[in-house]
Amino acid sequence: MQLRSLRRHTGGVRSRVRQTESVLVEQYGDLVRLAHLVLPASLGRHRRVLLAHSLVQRTLRRAGTAPTAPTAPAVPLPRRESRGGDTVERRLLVEVLRAALTYGRRPRMWPARFVHPGALRPRLPMVWGLRLFPRSGGADELALAQRLSAAPAAARAAFLLRTVHGLPPDTVHALLESADAPDAAAALRTAGLLEEDARRPPATLLASQEFDACALQAGPTDLLRRTRRTRLVLGTAAIGLVTVVTLVVAAGGTAHRTGTQAPASHGTPGPADLVRTAAGVWDNTSRVDFTAWPARGSRVHDQHLLDRALSAWTRPQARTHLHLAPATTASPPATAPQLLYAGDVGDRAVVLLYDGARLARYSETRSAARDTQLSIARADDADVTTAAALTLTPAGSTARYLLAPWIAETQTRDLLRPDVPARALHVSKDGVTDPVATGPATGDCDSRPVLQLRSSQRIAEHHAFLLAPLGDLSPVHLTYTPLPGHGTPPARQPREATGPQALLAWAHQACSLQLLHDTGVRAVNTWDFAEQDLPDGGGHAVWTCARADTWRGPGDVTVSFRTSTYAPGAPARTITRARATAACSRFGQHVVAADGWRSPNGHWYALAAGSRAVTRLTVSGDVTATQRTRTLAVPAPHNPRITVRARLATGEELNAVGTPGT
């Protein structure tokens, strides 16, 4: 009887395990996504992916051998309708949640290389020689990932269960409590705030490739570092073998067990691990960005300085002043960063590092290695212009820059004086410029110095461009889009702002750059989208949309208006502003705006203008008018309040820039 009972029990366990395995395979992608989202982002993308798969795979035995379901209520996951599946799926959810949350609460001194606090050895899956990570999403996905990384693990779990799985709050609360999550109610409240902040439906964002730990991209590990480690292991093994043989001979044939241990990897990169690009790579690559910068400066072999710079990034301390650009994380680099510069600049020692997505500038006093500062900024998808210069000195009235190796000519000019030619700027053999005035960050705007650089002909012929210092590590790239031609011409693309027409347009926009100081802006394009002759001899007017794109993705726009009566350098009149909008970009190529204007004779008019595809304008408010044209000027009362709508050649309706919902 006992034998039959044991067999029935064993058969029941095996049946439950097989059933659990079937459900796990079916729901594997959803469970891995949950584990991946709950695990801390500080693990790095590669380790976080492998750990998510490991945690899910190890839940099979624990969830399959449980004779009864946990106390959590039934959780109907999407896409499963078979009878009895809810209990198994509920067990799997609770076990995955518990494992992921437990990892985040492991003891501080517990070795991070272990997959789980309950294990003393690495668990499958293991990958050698490759780094795996999810593919990058768009700006909205990246913004959501950054918000999630700042939220508690339990809140991230609640956010996914509510938005993707569609579970009600009570069910999510019970699930979190069953998984031993701390303060489930607070986690739900935080998840609700995350839902409110999302610019797109959260379920759509979480279903994207940014959060899919099963659709992965592969890349190599640090090949040089791996080669050094292989040589180290082989050398250590050879030394150990010689030691054993020597001891055996010395003992006269008596065998002794001798244990040798290779130096353990410290887990963080050292000066010897830094990536150093050869000097001529930029001339022989299709990727002209920071990866093509060679290591320059008089202290590139100063191991103590490099070690202090790396420690400030990988093991930050309170005495180091940290400055983060907007939407930039302070997490240590996943692999050994690239060394761009190490040298003395004025009274400070400076080190520039690049980890493939971020730039870090470390500086200290030359005399006693004090007053340490670390600035970190995003630099993903930099190109020949946005990777052309880096600021070596802290914010001040002057700055010195390290130029890209492909820069053949360096000049400075004042945006407020478009008729004054650019002046040559001296650059050292290491690519460091002499001090350059940065212009005022606030207050009076009497000058706006910028860099005018020219690329080597081996990169592009006759390619000059402008960079404006605005307090960030990377100066801002300035471009210009000219007025459209007559009729309905094709859209014009932004071009470098070095021609006479571009310089004149930027002279009226230069002072507005003060508003972008230290805001993480990558590039600003000034687009003259319409022109019109004003009544009462008011001259010729040009309507402009200036778009500031940030490294994090979103862009802000300012629509302004200037007339031929404005002096060169006089600020254009601001009409409206809009934040986080696609307007005035390649994804928002149509624009319309309106405002009241007083003529030289003292008469008021309602003015409106639209871009090249506008065929009809309709103004309403203190004055009402409709005209089949791209520009409009109609008499209006004193300081009129008006709104405008436009019809495009396609028949679509277009609201004015800054209108809610646009």
Side-chain angles (χ1 to χ4, degrees), residues 596-661:
W597 173 76
R598 185 179 181 181
S599 75
N601 295 341
H603 302 145
W604 281 91
Y605 290 86
L607 303 181
S611 53
R612 61 184 182 86
V614 169
T615 59
R616 189 179 70 182
L617 294 171
T618 299
V619 294
S620 57
D622 290 343
V623 61
T624 301
T626 298
Q627 294 183 12
R628 293 185 176 275
T629 181
R630 288 210 301 255
T631 60
L632 175 148
V634 294
H638 176 81
N639 198 17
R641 301 182 62 182
I642 55 176
T643 58
V644 62
R645 284 177 61 85
R647 172 165 291 187
L648 304 178
T650 59
E652 298 176 272
E653 296 289 328
L654 180 68
N655 289 324
V657 174
T659 303

Side-chain angles (χ1 to χ4, degrees), residues 26-27 29-30 76-82 89 164-165:
E26 181 181 345
Q27 300 290 340
D30 290 331
L77 288 182
R79 305 182 300 277
R80 180 163 179 87
E81 300 175 357
S82 59
E89 290 162 346
V164 175
H165 297 295

Side-chain angles (χ1 to χ4, degrees), residues 222-305:
D222 189 335
L223 301 179
L224 293 176
R225 187 177 183 184
R226 192 170 72 193
T227 300
R228 287 192 292 267
R229 285 181 173 177
T230 302
R231 292 173 179 171
L232 177 62
V233 171
L234 292 176
T236 304
I239 294 172
L241 180 60
V242 171
T243 303
V244 171
V245 172
T246 303
L247 290 175
V248 169
V249 173
T254 303
H256 297 274
R257 289 187 177 269
T258 303
T260 60
Q261 182 177 1
S265 173
H266 45 65
T268 56
D273 301 316
L274 290 172
V275 177
R276 298 169 186 254
T277 302
V281 167
W282 67 270
D283 193 21
N284 296 282
T285 179
S286 59
R287 182 176 176 180
V288 186
D289 56 14
F290 290 114
T291 60
W293 279 42
R296 291 174 287 175
S298 60
R299 302 181 69 175
V300 292
H301 300 295
D302 187 333
Q303 302 298 307
H304 297 293
L305 173 62

Side-chain angles (χ1 to χ4, degrees), residues 173-422:
H173 187 279
L175 267 174
L176 292 175
E177 288 190 334
S178 297
D180 303 325
D183 201 349
L188 277 169
R189 290 193 296 269
T190 304
L193 295 176
L194 290 171
E195 290 184 60
E196 294 175 1
D197 292 341
R199 291 193 293 265
R200 290 169 51 195
T204 302
L205 295 175
L206 289 175
S208 68
Q209 59 187 8
E210 175 86 20
F211 303 97
D212 190 350
C214 290
L216 301 173
Q217 186 173 359
T221 57
D222 189 335
L223 301 179
L224 293 176
R225 187 177 183 184
R226 192 170 72 193
T227 300
R228 287 192 292 267
R229 285 181 173 177
T230 302
R231 292 173 179 171
L232 177 62
V233 171
L234 292 176
T236 304
I239 294 172
L241 180 60
V242 171
T243 303
V244 171
V245 172
T246 303
L247 290 175
V248 169
V249 173
T254 303
H256 297 274
R257 289 187 177 269
T258 303
T260 60
Q261 182 177 1
S265 173
H266 45 65
T268 56
D273 301 316
L274 290 172
V275 177
R276 298 169 186 254
T277 302
V281 167
W282 67 270
D283 193 21
N284 296 282
T285 179
S286 59
R287 182 176 176 180
V288 186
D289 56 14
F290 290 114
T291 60
W293 279 42
R296 291 174 287 175
S298 60
R299 302 181 69 175
V300 292
H301 300 295
D302 187 333
Q303 302 298 307
H304 297 293
L305 173 62
L306 298 179
D307 185 61
R308 291 193 295 271
L310 281 169
S311 297
W313 195 358
T314 58
R315 299 183 298 274
Q317 299 182 8
R319 65 173 180 267
T320 299
H321 176 71
L322 177 64
H323 177 267
L324 292 177
T328 306
T329 63
S331 58
T335 59
Q338 178 184 346
L339 176 61
L340 303 181
Y341 181 83
D344 295 330
V345 182
D347 61 349
R348 300 187 69 82
V350 179
V351 177
L352 288 177
L353 302 171
Y354 175 61
D355 73 347
R358 294 170 301 166
L359 292 161
R361 183 187 66 199
Y362 170 84
S363 70
E364 63 183 28
T365 56
R366 293 174 57 182
S367 56
R370 296 176 180 173
D371 185 25
T372 56
Q373 300 178 10
L374 180 67
S375 298
I376 306 176
R378 289 181 57 172
D380 35 332
D381 297 325
D383 55 24
V384 66
T385 55
T386 51
L390 288 177
T391 309
L392 288 171
T393 52
S397 58
T398 62
R400 300 182 70 180
Y401 303 93
L402 180 66
L403 302 182
W406 56 83
I407 298 302
E409 182 180 326
T410 307
Q411 298 176 304
T412 62
R413 71 177 315 130
D414 189 348
L415 280 183
L416 291 177
R417 294 163 178 82
D419 296 332
V420 177

